[in-house]
Amino acid sequence: MSQQVSGVLSNLERVLLDADEIQARVAALGQTVGADFAGNELTVVVLLDGALFFVADLVRQIDLPVRLYSLTVSSYHGGMVSTGQVEMAPKFPFDLKGRHVLLVDDILDTGLTLSSVIDKLQEAGPPASLKTAVLLRKDRQREREVAADYVGFDIADEFVVGYGMDYQGHYRNLPCIGILNPS
Ligand code: XMP
């Protein structure tokens, strides 16, 4: 729930999601994923850096054999607005052919990041199945339509920090997710 904050969190205008809410929702998502993929091995591909804490909490709730790979992808370059240019390694450094893949990102915003990674992943050799999980889905018009299969929270179109998400490299270590004070 939204609330005013002070002290160590005073750079936040408000907390959007507190640590308990995030932990409870991520645990529930992980259990749903585990049930949906029951009987299979799951290959999780996480997009860093923003989804670092999300994936760490999520995979520990999935009671299945899991392989975890990461890709570093960037479209914000430290600011508050997407540049529209998604930068990532030219080739996947791992083989996803025939695997059940869960692609994990922190936020679905313009849709450019997930759609670029999905295109590349399909080019590299089709997985047996491909699902996407995002912690946050922003309520806005997408530049590329992407269906997220697992969504933690739907939020308004505001810039958020905390729980892995940053502004100019700061605030990733906040256990909550909040809106920065404009000043
Ligand atoms: P797109 O626009 O490609 O965005 O769907 C996905 C990536 O953009 C970053 N992003 C944010 N990062 N606060 C952040 O710290 C935000 O409000 C925000 N919105 C988008 C994020 O890295 C995400 O993976």
Side-chain angles (χ1 to χ4, degrees):
M1 291 294 115
S2 291
Q3 61 190 66
Q4 296 300 317
V5 292
S6 59
V8 71
L9 300 177
S10 61
N11 285 345
L12 293 186
E13 183 183 272
R14 70 200 145 89
V15 172
L16 198 60
L17 298 162
D18 68 32
D20 290 346
E21 283 175 275
I22 297 169
Q23 293 301 325
R25 182 69 188 125
V26 173
L29 271 187
Q31 286 151 22
T32 303
V33 170
D36 290 353
F37 286 88
N40 293 291
E41 179 182 289
L42 185 62
T43 299
V44 174
V45 177
V46 58
L47 304 187
L48 297 180
D49 300 321
L52 181 63
F53 299 128
F54 174 40
V55 79
D57 288 337
L58 185 74
V59 293
R60 285 180 290 173
Q61 298 291 335
I62 300 176
D63 188 14
L64 294 176
V66 167
R67 292 180 207 233
L68 178 60
Y69 299 111
S70 64
L71 275 180
T72 300
V73 178
S74 169
S75 62
Y76 266 58
H77 308 299
M80 281 191 166
V81 179
S82 170
T83 60
Q85 302 292 318
V86 180
E87 289 177 12
M88 65 181 130
K91 274 182 75 178
F92 284 117
F94 35 78
D95 185 8
L96 302 176
K97 243 178 266 166
R99 304 244 192 108
H100 294 286
V101 175
L102 180 68
L103 189 55
V104 176
D105 200 7
D106 53 356
I107 307 187
L108 176 55
D109 186 358
T110 64
L112 291 171
T113 301
L114 275 184
S115 56
S116 307
V117 175
I118 290 168
D119 288 350
K120 206 161 199 191
L121 198 152
Q122 298 289 8
E123 276 169 28
S129 69
L130 173 61
K131 300 280 185 199
T132 55
V134 295
L135 178 65
L136 306 176
R137 176 168 60 189
K138 285 192 185 176
D139 180 14
R140 58 162 289 168
Q141 181 97 37
R142 311 248 177 266
E143 289 178 33
R144 285 214 33 207
E145 211 40 66
V146 186
D149 298 292
Y150 302 97
V151 177
F153 301 92
D154 281 296
I155 63 166
D157 186 10
E158 295 179 287
F159 189 82
V160 295
V161 295
Y163 193 64
M165 292 166 282
D166 75 309
Y167 174 63
Q168 297 188 339
H170 295 284
Y171 309 109
R172 289 196 198 275
N173 61 322
L174 292 178
C176 61
I177 293 171
I179 309 295
L180 270 184
N181 200 318
S183 61

